[in-house]
DNA sequence: TGTATCTATTTGTATAGACAAAAGCGGGTC
DNA sequence: GACCCGCTTTTGTCTATACAAATAGATACA
């Protein structure tokens, strides 16, 4: 059983996504949709407001509602936790802690992170393998002031990325993707050639204005890529199905 | 003059984004907000529905509405047209057409694009420079059936990417980011070393179910990166248990 | 003790009606 | 022509009301 405003939303969305109604097309007026769906204007309005809120249409008083032009310069990339990603794809994932040091921030790193010199950090190096083959080298810094419980965690059963997601709330994240050539140490760990092109993801996560963690994840370029789809329906989220209670 | 539902939306959003109301926090019931803002429930409901539609809160009948956890595994990357990007950053951009051939799709490329063998295409190679230094090598395929006017366009004044954006409507795009080592020809054009790590962006654009254009843009790794910020308004919906209650 | 049922609470959906705000349009005036 | 004025259309907002759906918690019962 689908609600009326939901059905209107989906019908119009289909026309837009399929390209039947191209950018600039004037969609029917509210009163026309009221006629078509035999419902009240508020119901139509709710569907159209949702489309407008998602940037799929532009509405102008006295003129009408028009299909918006999608912006090609923004795309949603899926950048998942390595273990989650491997499990989703049905692969076997394992990892090994290579280094686990408690240190204080030196000036160069402090500047890079935008945090004060001398702050206590946990530095972690971790090698991830998928189906037995090295897939990523993780170099992480955790701010101990923000995550005091990391001081006593040894990450033997849950990888650091997943552990942090479960433990620590955060409010902002920044991702950077770079291509770099593998140095000798990295190449050896990833079982690839020195100089091989690697895809590096850098993620810095904040809570409020303070860094929670900073991580570089280095993937061998011949075994990894990032992918992202963009179409108008992915501009936001509409599905909000009620959660089923665990019995 | 700001509407009431808008003000409610913004007030609640501020509490969530600032972290005053952490993930799992139960926000006030509709009837409490009705009291607080002295308006009807429909007005409150509109604000809360908008927050739910953006994935910032989870609503459950009989239980209440709760601040959602942001998903770390999705991020919005700015992937702009090269000329636009350079101009925005205040740099000088120039480009040179290296190749412009009308061909028919061979079987390998056809399979890669998911288009029929033998379809007519325009193949373009183009070198982009920023501030006089090579910054990107663009290898593009344009489906002439979808963009007939490309047959007579020589792209002497507008680069192909920008020209296509202005000329052709599209409904879906897919981006892939890879790290590859430069081969000899690429290295020569980009004025870098053979084997240097390069960041390659592949974009395929569709209208409906048919490809409009396919392009590989190869950047020298030492001069380029992709960056993306996570925005709170782009959170996804997550299933999670309430953690704390409002008093 | 465990289970089925009832009840109260909260959100979800829909309606009819009202007025406000924006803006295209035409008419009148100079 | 340029400008101002008012009419009309369309969207924006808000209200009061109503009933439906989900479900946590209480209660009755086997």
């Amino acid at each position: 059983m689908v609600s009326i405003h939901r059905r209107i939303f989906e019908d119009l969305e289909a026309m837009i996504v399929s390209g039947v109604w191209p950018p600039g097309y004037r969609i029917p007026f509210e009163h026309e949709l009221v006629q078509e769906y035999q419902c009240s204007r508020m119901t139509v309005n709710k569907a159209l407001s949702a489309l407008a809120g998602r940037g799929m249409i532009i509405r102008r008083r006295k003129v009408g509602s028009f299909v918006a032009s999608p912006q090609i310069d923004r795309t949603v990339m899926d950048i998942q936790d390595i273990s989650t990603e491997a499990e989703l794809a049905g692969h076997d994932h394992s990892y090994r802690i290579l280094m686990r040091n408690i240190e204080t921030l030196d000036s160069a790193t402090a500047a890079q992170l935008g945090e004060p010199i001398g702050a206590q950090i946990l530095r972690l190096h971790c090698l991830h393998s998928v189906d037995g083959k090295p897939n990523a080298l993780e170099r992480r810094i955790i701010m101990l002031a923000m995550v005091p419980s990391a001081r006593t965690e040894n990450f033997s059963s849950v990888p650091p990325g997943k552990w942090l997601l479960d433990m620590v709330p955060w409010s902002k994240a920044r991702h950077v993707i770079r291509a770099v050539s593998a140095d000798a140490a990295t190449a050896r760990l990833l079982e690839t050639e020195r100089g091989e092109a690697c895809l590096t993801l850098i993620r810095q996560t904040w809570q409020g204005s303070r860094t929670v963690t900073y991580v570089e994840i280095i993937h061998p370029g011949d075994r990894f890529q990032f992918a992202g789809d963009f179409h108008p329906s992915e501009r936001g989220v509409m599905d909000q199905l009620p959660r089923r209670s665990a019995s």
Side-chain angles (χ1 to χ4, degrees), chain A:
Chain A
M1 196 52 218
V2 185
S3 56
I4 302 175
H5 77 259
R6 184 69 202 233
R7 217 179 89 227
I8 299 175
F9 180 96
E10 285 169 1
D11 288 355
L12 301 186
E13 183 192 37
M15 298 300 276
I16 294 168
V17 172
S18 66
V20 176
W21 290 352
Y25 182 91
R26 207 211 75 221
I27 74 173
F29 295 128
E30 290 190 351
H31 66 84
E32 293 173 315
L33 292 169
V34 163
Q35 277 298 313
E36 185 178 339
Y37 287 92
Q38 291 293 305
C39 63
S40 75
R41 187 167 81 91
M42 278 302 292
T43 305
V44 169
N45 186 276
K46 178 156 190 168
L48 293 185
S49 296
L51 285 166
R54 188 172 302 215
M56 297 184 69
I57 62 173
I58 307 280
R59 314 198 70 199
R60 286 177 57 203
R61 284 164 166 151
K62 163 79 185 179
V63 186
S65 304
F66 300 85
V67 176
S69 295
Q71 294 294 318
I72 198 159
D73 59 356
R74 288 163 72 80
T75 192
V76 177
M77 308 284 299
D78 282 332
I79 296 184
Q80 289 167 339
D81 178 72
I82 300 165
S83 55
T84 308
E85 182 166 14
E87 279 154 20
L88 279 178
H91 293 284
D92 178 56
H93 168 260
S94 62
Y95 67 98
R96 190 156 53 92
I97 302 286
L98 303 175
M99 188 224 261
R100 185 186 178 287
N101 277 348
I102 290 177
E103 303 176 6
T104 55
L105 266 186
D106 62 68
S107 62
T109 317
Q112 190 182 357
L113 267 62
E115 295 291 323
I117 298 172
Q120 279 217 313
I121 60 167
L122 178 66
R123 193 182 286 275
L124 278 173
H125 287 192
C126 181
L127 182 68
H128 296 263
S129 299
V130 172
D131 290 338
K133 208 164 164 64
N135 180 266
L137 178 61
E138 171 178 352
R139 293 205 276 247
R140 185 181 290 273
I141 290 170
I142 298 174
M143 303 300 293
L144 284 173
M146 299 297 285
V147 198
S149 53
R151 198 183 286 272
T152 55
E153 172 68 40
N154 63 8
F155 306 104
S156 59
S157 61
V158 182
K162 213 176 209 174
W163 183 84
L164 275 168
L165 270 187
D166 292 342
M167 288 294 294
V168 189
W170 56 275
S171 57
K172 190 178 123 186
R174 179 167 174 80
H175 295 87
V176 172
I177 297 173
R178 291 204 181 122
V180 294
S181 296
D183 58 28
T186 306
R188 188 168 40 76
L189 287 166
L190 291 175
E191 292 175 15
T192 184
E193 303 294 310
R194 179 153 184 263
E196 167 78 21
C198 291
L199 203 52
T200 300
L201 168 68
I202 298 165
R203 171 190 295 153
Q204 188 165 4
T205 311
W206 291 264
Q207 183 180 5
S209 60
R210 303 190 55 194
T211 302
V212 174
T213 185
Y214 173 94
V215 61
E216 294 179 17
I217 299 173
I218 301 150
H219 297 276
D222 56 347
R223 285 166 238 161
F224 201 84
Q225 65 181 25
F226 291 110
D229 281 323
F230 179 92
H231 44 82
S233 64
E234 277 180 11
R235 268 179 252 222
V237 188
M238 174 91 179
D239 298 298
Q240 38 163 334
L241 300 174
R243 197 180 69 82
R244 210 110 296 282
S245 68
S247 48

